[in-house]
Amino acid sequence: MSGGLFAASGLLQRLRSVPVTVADLRRTAEEVLPALATGRLRVTLTDDRVDGPVVVLEEDERRVRTPLRDLAEDMTHARVGSTPEELATALTAWVHDRPVPDAVAAETGVAALDWTDRTETAVGWRVVVRRGDRALPWTPSSGLDRRAVERVRVAAGERAAAVGGQLRVEGPVALWTHPEVPTLASAVLAAPQLLLDRIAAAGLDLHDPHVVVTPDSPLACAGAAVAARLAGETGEACQRLPWRQVARLRWI
């Protein structure tokens, strides 16, 4: 629900072509990985006769096994710097991006809107879990039955109303943002009347309100004509929804 994990930033990063070596990455991994383990997350660095150094993440039913050579190649392609500090940042981000276990989603998951497929022409509800400044999507494990999945989704929807955010009114448009995790801005639509009440209290009277949704970006709320113009003028994929349609969005 966000940009590439090892996305480069800055002109220097885009220009540099120094490869990340397995040896350098291993030295960093030996220093960084032990501190990333938790009571729930087990992090292991082992040697495999075929794959060489391999990092294994185990958290409840989720298991990730990745050779360091694959990580080094991904980081090189993403123009990650080769200094220990840059490698530590990238490796930490990779661990934080691990799959979300079912129990974690049940305990802390929040409902947010995301694209239903790669065409980016429709949005739906997804359970996400916050890790730092990222919101990671949850995919139910194969062993979870339908009733358990529904319980996780119901709890995520209930938490969504309490996520909070910041409202800014600019002329006929109300913008709702989350100050730390942009993806969580859409969580407020799990209880849409709360947002309408906040907009009305701010002095903006919306007739036939629509919402313009761009996952990972602020929500734009406006009347039908203004919302249509906003959706047409934006340079990125978005979904314009009449307020009454929000309640009918399906789970992904």
Side-chain angles (χ1 to χ4, degrees), residues 134-149:
R134 292 169 62 81
L136 280 299
W138 169 65
T139 299
S141 67
S142 59
L144 207 63
D145 64 38
R146 182 183 300 179
R147 288 176 297 179
V149 171

PDB file of all heavy atoms in Angstrom, residues 134-149:
ATOM      1  N   ARG A 134       4.566   2.996   8.182  1.00  0.00           N
ATOM      2  CA  ARG A 134       3.980   2.213   7.097  1.00  0.00           C
ATOM      3  C   ARG A 134       2.751   1.467   7.599  1.00  0.00           C
ATOM      4  O   ARG A 134       2.641   1.156   8.786  1.00  0.00           O
ATOM      5  CB  ARG A 134       4.996   1.209   6.534  1.00  0.00           C
ATOM      6  CG  ARG A 134       6.142   1.866   5.803  1.00  0.00           C
ATOM      7  CD  ARG A 134       7.239   0.858   5.497  1.00  0.00           C
ATOM      8  NE  ARG A 134       6.804  -0.219   4.624  1.00  0.00           N
ATOM      9  CZ  ARG A 134       6.705  -0.136   3.303  1.00  0.00           C
ATOM     10  NH1 ARG A 134       7.001   1.010   2.698  1.00  0.00           N
ATOM     11  NH2 ARG A 134       6.333  -1.173   2.577  1.00  0.00           N
ATOM     12  N   ALA A 135       1.843   1.182   6.672  1.00  0.00           N
ATOM     13  CA  ALA A 135       0.673   0.367   6.971  1.00  0.00           C
ATOM     14  C   ALA A 135       0.746  -0.860   6.078  1.00  0.00           C
ATOM     15  O   ALA A 135       0.631  -0.757   4.853  1.00  0.00           O
ATOM     16  CB  ALA A 135      -0.615   1.143   6.718  1.00  0.00           C
ATOM     17  N   LEU A 136       0.944  -2.019   6.685  1.00  0.00           N
ATOM     18  CA  LEU A 136       1.152  -3.246   5.931  1.00  0.00           C
ATOM     19  C   LEU A 136      -0.167  -4.007   5.764  1.00  0.00           C
ATOM     20  O   LEU A 136      -0.908  -4.185   6.726  1.00  0.00           O
ATOM     21  CB  LEU A 136       2.161  -4.150   6.638  1.00  0.00           C
ATOM     22  CG  LEU A 136       3.656  -3.839   6.475  1.00  0.00           C
ATOM     23  CD1 LEU A 136       4.068  -3.941   5.010  1.00  0.00           C
ATOM     24  CD2 LEU A 136       4.009  -2.489   7.034  1.00  0.00           C
ATOM     25  N   PRO A 137      -0.468  -4.470   4.560  1.00  0.00           N
ATOM     26  CA  PRO A 137      -1.723  -5.207   4.342  1.00  0.00           C
ATOM     27  C   PRO A 137      -1.658  -6.604   4.924  1.00  0.00           C
ATOM     28  O   PRO A 137      -0.612  -7.254   4.929  1.00  0.00           O
ATOM     29  CB  PRO A 137      -1.834  -5.254   2.812  1.00  0.00           C
ATOM     30  CG  PRO A 137      -0.411  -5.203   2.339  1.00  0.00           C
ATOM     31  CD  PRO A 137       0.302  -4.299   3.307  1.00  0.00           C
ATOM     32  N   TRP A 138      -2.791  -7.061   5.412  1.00  0.00           N
ATOM     33  CA  TRP A 138      -2.904  -8.420   5.941  1.00  0.00           C
ATOM     34  C   TRP A 138      -3.608  -9.305   4.930  1.00  0.00           C
ATOM     35  O   TRP A 138      -4.653  -8.946   4.392  1.00  0.00           O
ATOM     36  CB  TRP A 138      -3.699  -8.408   7.246  1.00  0.00           C
ATOM     37  CG  TRP A 138      -4.098  -9.771   7.742  1.00  0.00           C
ATOM     38  CD1 TRP A 138      -3.274 -10.774   8.173  1.00  0.00           C
ATOM     39  CD2 TRP A 138      -5.434 -10.297   7.847  1.00  0.00           C
ATOM     40  NE1 TRP A 138      -3.996 -11.877   8.563  1.00  0.00           N
ATOM     41  CE2 TRP A 138      -5.334 -11.616   8.361  1.00  0.00           C
ATOM     42  CE3 TRP A 138      -6.697  -9.782   7.570  1.00  0.00           C
ATOM     43  CZ2 TRP A 138      -6.455 -12.412   8.598  1.00  0.00           C
ATOM     44  CZ3 TRP A 138      -7.818 -10.573   7.793  1.00  0.00           C
ATOM     45  CH2 TRP A 138      -7.681 -11.866   8.319  1.00  0.00           C
ATOM     46  N   THR A 139      -3.006 -10.466   4.670  1.00  0.00           N
ATOM     47  CA  THR A 139      -3.640 -11.493   3.851  1.00  0.00           C
ATOM     48  C   THR A 139      -3.894 -12.697   4.745  1.00  0.00           C
ATOM     49  O   THR A 139      -2.946 -13.232   5.346  1.00  0.00           O
ATOM     50  CB  THR A 139      -2.735 -11.908   2.679  1.00  0.00           C
ATOM     51  OG1 THR A 139      -2.479 -10.769   1.847  1.00  0.00           O
ATOM     52  CG2 THR A 139      -3.400 -12.998   1.848  1.00  0.00           C
ATOM     53  N   PRO A 140      -5.139 -13.139   4.897  1.00  0.00           N
ATOM     54  CA  PRO A 140      -5.415 -14.273   5.786  1.00  0.00           C
ATOM     55  C   PRO A 140      -4.611 -15.509   5.382  1.00  0.00           C
ATOM     56  O   PRO A 140      -4.416 -15.775   4.198  1.00  0.00           O
ATOM     57  CB  PRO A 140      -6.924 -14.505   5.597  1.00  0.00           C
ATOM     58  CG  PRO A 140      -7.453 -13.207   5.084  1.00  0.00           C
ATOM     59  CD  PRO A 140      -6.361 -12.619   4.259  1.00  0.00           C
ATOM     60  N   SER A 141      -4.138 -16.233   6.367  1.00  0.00           N
ATOM     61  CA  SER A 141      -3.430 -17.477   6.081  1.00  0.00           C
ATOM     62  C   SER A 141      -4.401 -18.527   5.558  1.00  0.00           C
ATOM     63  O   SER A 141      -5.622 -18.425   5.759  1.00  0.00           O
ATOM     64  CB  SER A 141      -2.729 -17.995   7.339  1.00  0.00           C
ATOM     65  OG  SER A 141      -3.688 -18.395   8.300  1.00  0.00           O
ATOM     66  N   SER A 142      -3.861 -19.513   4.887  1.00  0.00           N
ATOM     67  CA  SER A 142      -4.712 -20.543   4.276  1.00  0.00           C
ATOM     68  C   SER A 142      -5.494 -21.346   5.306  1.00  0.00           C
ATOM     69  O   SER A 142      -6.549 -21.906   4.996  1.00  0.00           O
ATOM     70  CB  SER A 142      -3.850 -21.494   3.431  1.00  0.00           C
ATOM     71  OG  SER A 142      -2.850 -22.105   4.233  1.00  0.00           O
ATOM     72  N   GLY A 143      -5.013 -21.401   6.545  1.00  0.00           N
ATOM     73  CA  GLY A 143      -5.695 -22.192   7.560  1.00  0.00           C
ATOM     74  C   GLY A 143      -6.786 -21.459   8.309  1.00  0.00           C
ATOM     75  O   GLY A 143      -7.439 -22.041   9.183  1.00  0.00           O
ATOM     76  N   LEU A 144      -7.007 -20.184   7.989  1.00  0.00           N
ATOM     77  CA  LEU A 144      -7.998 -19.390   8.719  1.00  0.00           C
ATOM     78  C   LEU A 144      -9.365 -19.541   8.061  1.00  0.00           C
ATOM     79  O   LEU A 144      -9.513 -19.315   6.853  1.00  0.00           O
ATOM     80  CB  LEU A 144      -7.569 -17.923   8.727  1.00  0.00           C
ATOM     81  CG  LEU A 144      -8.053 -17.062   9.885  1.00  0.00           C
ATOM     82  CD1 LEU A 144      -7.495 -17.580  11.208  1.00  0.00           C
ATOM     83  CD2 LEU A 144      -7.641 -15.608   9.677  1.00  0.00           C
ATOM     84  N   ASP A 145     -10.372 -19.902   8.853  1.00  0.00           N
ATOM     85  CA  ASP A 145     -11.697 -20.097   8.258  1.00  0.00           C
ATOM     86  C   ASP A 145     -12.430 -18.774   8.075  1.00  0.00           C
ATOM     87  O   ASP A 145     -11.997 -17.728   8.567  1.00  0.00           O
ATOM     88  CB  ASP A 145     -12.540 -21.076   9.086  1.00  0.00           C
ATOM     89  CG  ASP A 145     -12.848 -20.563  10.496  1.00  0.00           C
ATOM     90  OD1 ASP A 145     -13.099 -19.355  10.664  1.00  0.00           O
ATOM     91  OD2 ASP A 145     -12.841 -21.384  11.427  1.00  0.00           O
ATOM     92  N   ARG A 146     -13.540 -18.832   7.363  1.00  0.00           N
ATOM     93  CA  ARG A 146     -14.267 -17.620   6.991  1.00  0.00           C
ATOM     94  C   ARG A 146     -14.754 -16.838   8.201  1.00  0.00           C
ATOM     95  O   ARG A 146     -14.716 -15.604   8.223  1.00  0.00           O
ATOM     96  CB  ARG A 146     -15.451 -17.985   6.095  1.00  0.00           C
ATOM     97  CG  ARG A 146     -16.255 -16.785   5.619  1.00  0.00           C
ATOM     98  CD  ARG A 146     -17.451 -17.214   4.798  1.00  0.00           C
ATOM     99  NE  ARG A 146     -17.043 -17.971   3.624  1.00  0.00           N
ATOM    100  CZ  ARG A 146     -17.919 -18.478   2.748  1.00  0.00           C
ATOM    101  NH1 ARG A 146     -19.224 -18.312   2.934  1.00  0.00           N
ATOM    102  NH2 ARG A 146     -17.485 -19.158   1.693  1.00  0.00           N
ATOM    103  N   ARG A 147     -15.215 -17.532   9.225  1.00  0.00           N
ATOM    104  CA  ARG A 147     -15.722 -16.842  10.414  1.00  0.00           C
ATOM    105  C   ARG A 147     -14.617 -16.089  11.135  1.00  0.00           C
ATOM    106  O   ARG A 147     -14.820 -14.973  11.626  1.00  0.00           O
ATOM    107  CB  ARG A 147     -16.402 -17.837  11.354  1.00  0.00           C
ATOM    108  CG  ARG A 147     -17.750 -18.354  10.856  1.00  0.00           C
ATOM    109  CD  ARG A 147     -18.318 -19.405  11.770  1.00  0.00           C
ATOM    110  NE  ARG A 147     -17.453 -20.591  11.827  1.00  0.00           N
ATOM    111  CZ  ARG A 147     -17.701 -21.653  12.561  1.00  0.00           C
ATOM    112  NH1 ARG A 147     -18.786 -21.681  13.332  1.00  0.00           N
ATOM    113  NH2 ARG A 147     -16.874 -22.681  12.551  1.00  0.00           N
ATOM    114  N   ALA A 148     -13.419 -16.680  11.193  1.00  0.00           N
ATOM    115  CA  ALA A 148     -12.288 -16.007  11.829  1.00  0.00           C
ATOM    116  C   ALA A 148     -11.887 -14.775  11.037  1.00  0.00           C
ATOM    117  O   ALA A 148     -11.568 -13.721  11.603  1.00  0.00           O
ATOM    118  CB  ALA A 148     -11.116 -16.968  11.970  1.00  0.00           C
ATOM    119  N   VAL A 149     -11.886 -14.889   9.712  1.00  0.00           N
ATOM    120  CA  VAL A 149     -11.564 -13.737   8.860  1.00  0.00           C
ATOM    121  C   VAL A 149     -12.569 -12.614   9.096  1.00  0.00           C
ATOM    122  O   VAL A 149     -12.204 -11.433   9.222  1.00  0.00           O
ATOM    123  CB  VAL A 149     -11.556 -14.142   7.370  1.00  0.00           C
ATOM    124  CG1 VAL A 149     -11.439 -12.911   6.474  1.00  0.00           C
ATOM    125  CG2 VAL A 149     -10.399 -15.102   7.088  1.00  0.00           C
TER     126      VAL A 149
END
